[in-house]
Amino acid sequence: MAKRKKIRLRGRDRAAAYIGGAAVLLLLITLIVVRWGRAGDQEAQTPENEIESSVVEWSEKVTSLLWLINTEHILPQSYVPEGLEALPNSNVQVVEEAGRAFLRMVQDMDTPVYAANGYISAAAQQNLYDTKRQEYLDAGYSEERTNMVIVDEYFPGGADEHQLGLTIDVCTEASLNLDYDFALTPQGQWLKEHAWEYGFIFRQTEGAPKIYKPWQLRYVGETHAAIMQELELCLDDYLAYLADKGTSYFSDVGAMHLDLIVYFTDSLSEIPLKIREVSGDNNGHYIVVCYR
Ligand SMILES: [Zn+2]
C-alpha cells in the first residue's frame, strides 16, 4: 500500500506528466516527419549528376530489340548487327543473345525445330526479292500483279527484319519448307504457346497485316515478349500501343512477376532511375522499361 502511494501522482502532477508525455511524443513525431520530409526531398531531387550519368550509361546500352523494320522503316544497306554468331553445327547467324535464347528454347521442346534462316544481309535479301519477282514475271504475271503478290512474301533489301539478326525461321526434320502447315505441327503449336517465355514473338508483316508467318520468330527479349503475349499484340501494334499511352503500367510480368513501367519517349533524360532496359524503335524513339 505504502509503495503504491509513493508513486501515485496527485491530480496536478498527473496532468503535468500527461502534458510532458504529449510534448515528448509531439517532438518525436515532428522529428520523424522532418526526417521523412528530408528523405523525400533527397529522393525527389535525385542528384543531377546521378541522372546524367545514368542517361549516358543507358544511352550506350540502347538495344535494337524492338526495332520495327518494314518498307517505311528501312535499314541502311550497310547495316550489320553487332555480335553475330553462327548457331552450333549451322551456318545460320544470329545475334548472340537471340541465339542463346533459341538454343535454350529448342532444348525444352519435345521435338526440336531447326534454324533455317537467321541474319540475312540487305544485299542477299535484295537478291531473294529480285529472283522471286523475276519468277512471277516469267510465269506470266503482269508487273502490277507481281508487285501486289510479292509484298506478302518478300521485302526488298533493307526492309526485312532478318537483317537485324534477331529473326529466325524454323523448320522441322519432317519438312524443311517454310509454310503455313508448320502452324499445325506439334512444334508449331508448342512455339505458339511457349516462344514468348524465351523472348520470341511472331511478327505480323507490314504488307499483310492479317497474315503471320508461323515459322518466323522474332527475338524481342523476355520482358517485352511477356507483355506482348499478355496484351495479345504483335510488334507493330505493341509499339503503336506504347506510343499512344506514353507511359504504361504493367503488373506481374513474366516468370519473374515484375511490376514495370514502360515509357515511350524521345529522350532518356526525362526518365527517372531504376531502368531495366532500353530499346530503340528504328524511328527515333526510346522504349524504356523501369522497375516500379
Ligand atoms: Zn523469315
Side-chain angles (χ1 to χ4, degrees):
M1 263 329 242
K3 265 186 191 169
R4 214 187 250 179
K5 243 184 192 168
K6 254 188 192 170
I7 56 163
R8 189 178 283 165
L9 298 170
R10 278 175 297 154
R12 249 172 83 186
D13 293 341
R14 194 183 289 172
Y18 280 143
I19 291 166
V24 169
L25 196 66
L26 196 68
L27 188 67
L28 269 173
I29 290 170
T30 310
L31 279 173
I32 289 167
V33 166
V34 166
R35 284 207 63 153
W36 252 354
R38 286 217 185 115
D41 283 352
Q42 275 167 6
E43 234 169 86
Q45 357 165 306
T46 302
E48 258 172 50
N49 53 3
E50 203 179 321
I51 292 183
E52 263 170 45
S53 67
S54 171
V55 167
V56 170
E57 186 195 333
W58 280 101
S59 62
E60 287 164 1
K61 289 197 276 187
V62 177
T63 70
S64 55
L65 291 181
L66 294 181
W67 277 18
L68 185 70
I69 313 298
N70 55 38
T71 44
E72 276 150 37
H73 304 100
I74 60 169
L75 288 168
Q77 297 287 307
S78 59
Y79 176 83
V80 179
E82 275 177 43
L84 279 180
E85 267 187 21
L87 292 168
N89 310 313
S90 163
N91 54 9
V92 170
Q93 285 189 310
V94 284
V95 168
E96 192 196 354
E97 182 185 340
R100 260 187 284 127
F102 180 72
L103 295 176
R104 211 156 47 80
M105 182 172 74
V106 170
Q107 259 174 10
D108 288 350
M109 298 179 77
D110 289 335
T111 353
V113 288
Y114 300 90
N117 296 310
Y119 164 70
I120 299 176
S121 71
Q125 181 63 35
Q126 185 63 46
N127 215 15
L128 266 171
Y129 179 83
D130 291 340
T131 308
K132 196 71 199 172
R133 209 167 172 282
Q134 195 56 49
E135 275 175 29
Y136 279 116
L137 294 171
D138 291 348
Y141 278 60
S142 69
E143 191 113 347
E144 197 188 350
R145 184 146 161 72
T146 298
N147 291 343
M148 252 169 60
V149 290
I150 205 164
V151 292
D152 287 351
E153 299 176 356
Y154 290 93
F155 290 118
D160 192 288
E161 66 173 12
H162 274 286
Q163 196 183 342
L164 278 180
L166 298 170
T167 297
I168 305 177
D169 290 334
V170 295
C171 56
T172 65
E173 204 164 28
S175 168
L176 296 177
N177 293 329
L178 307 177
D179 57 32
Y180 289 97
D181 288 344
F182 176 76
L184 307 172
T185 64
Q187 291 98 321
Q189 292 188 339
W190 190 93
L191 288 175
K192 209 173 167 194
E193 213 176 307
H194 297 286
W196 68 272
E197 294 165 23
Y198 303 84
F200 289 95
I201 52 124
F202 295 95
R203 162 79 195 281
Q204 288 180 326
T205 64
E206 154 81 8
K210 293 283 179 286
I211 298 170
Y212 86 109
K213 298 174 173 175
W215 62 85
Q216 182 167 306
L217 297 164
R218 160 70 187 269
Y219 186 74
V220 293
E222 284 180 34
T223 315
H224 292 293
I227 298 174
M228 288 163 74
Q229 175 76 11
E230 184 68 31
L231 295 174
E232 295 184 25
L233 294 176
C234 67
L235 180 58
D236 310 47
D237 293 343
Y238 178 51
L239 289 170
Y241 173 94
L242 295 178
D244 182 50
K245 299 261 177 200
T247 305
S248 309
Y249 298 85
F250 299 104
S251 305
D252 205 20
V253 172
M256 289 168 76
H257 305 286
L258 298 169
D259 291 336
L260 302 170
I261 310 176
V262 181
Y263 298 92
F264 188 95
T265 175
D266 296 337
S267 159
L268 287 181
S269 53
E270 279 155 38
I271 303 299
L273 301 176
K274 294 207 277 185
I275 295 175
R276 175 178 163 85
E277 60 184 76
V278 183
S279 174
D281 70 344
N282 190 35
N283 199 19
H285 308 103
Y286 297 104
I287 296 92
V288 189
V289 180
C290 294
Y291 296 102
R292 260 154 91 171

